[in-house]
Amino acid sequence: QVQLVESGGGSVQAGGSLRLSCKSSPFIFSVYEINYYRQSPGGQREFVAGVTNRGVETYEDSVKGRFRIWRDGDQRSVDLQMNSLEGEDSGVYYCNAVYRRRNSTYWGKGTVVTVSS
């Protein structure tokens, strides 16, 4: 059974930064596309950023230029650096792994990000 574990959430003031990290057990990131989603209270889960197994990055429009996603080979993780955080960035951030050829997907349990003004 694959487990995804997010870490790095917390509380920060608007304008601050946080770095999230996602790891899997066992390690599956070499073939999986890895995404971060977030869900605010009362809202739907929405895509934030993703990176393919070849390193191609995609971002939701509101986070472009502020967030960066990358594969950290040394840590065997996929990290999300979040800068210039805004109140609208608050929510539970989930790591998602997708292997489209096998129709396989996994989700982490999420980590909470709270941005206060």
Side-chain angles (χ1 to χ4, degrees):
Q1 182 70 17
V2 174
Q3 289 187 324
L4 301 183
V5 179
E6 305 94 339
S7 62
S11 296
V12 65
Q13 289 191 331
S17 299
L18 284 173
R19 176 174 170 174
L20 306 184
S21 185
C22 176
K23 294 185 178 182
S24 73
S25 178
F27 181 73
I28 61 171
F29 289 174
S30 59
V31 295
Y32 277 71
E33 168 189 333
I34 307 301
N35 306 298
Y36 278 91
Y37 285 74
R38 68 185 176 199
Q39 186 168 17
S40 57
Q44 292 186 334
R45 194 171 296 188
E46 61 178 7
F47 173 81
V48 175
V51 61
T52 69
N53 63 324
R54 297 185 179 184
V56 177
E57 304 164 24
T58 55
Y59 298 92
E60 192 271 329
D61 285 346
S62 71
V63 307
K64 286 180 180 178
R66 300 189 296 122
F67 290 13
R68 185 172 76 92
I69 188 170
W70 75 97
R71 294 175 177 268
D72 188 327
D74 290 342
Q75 298 298 321
R76 294 167 69 86
S77 66
V78 172
D79 291 3
L80 181 69
Q81 178 66 42
M82 307 186 295
N83 298 325
S84 302
L85 284 163
E86 305 167 353
E88 291 75 17
D89 296 319
S90 295
V92 181
Y93 281 70
Y94 297 91
C95 181
N96 162 252
V98 177
Y99 189 14
R100 299 184 189 278
R101 286 188 176 183
R102 294 182 180 177
N103 197 28
S104 174
T105 187
Y106 299 99
W107 290 91
K109 293 183 178 180
T111 185
V112 178
V113 171
T114 303
V115 183
S116 58
S117 57

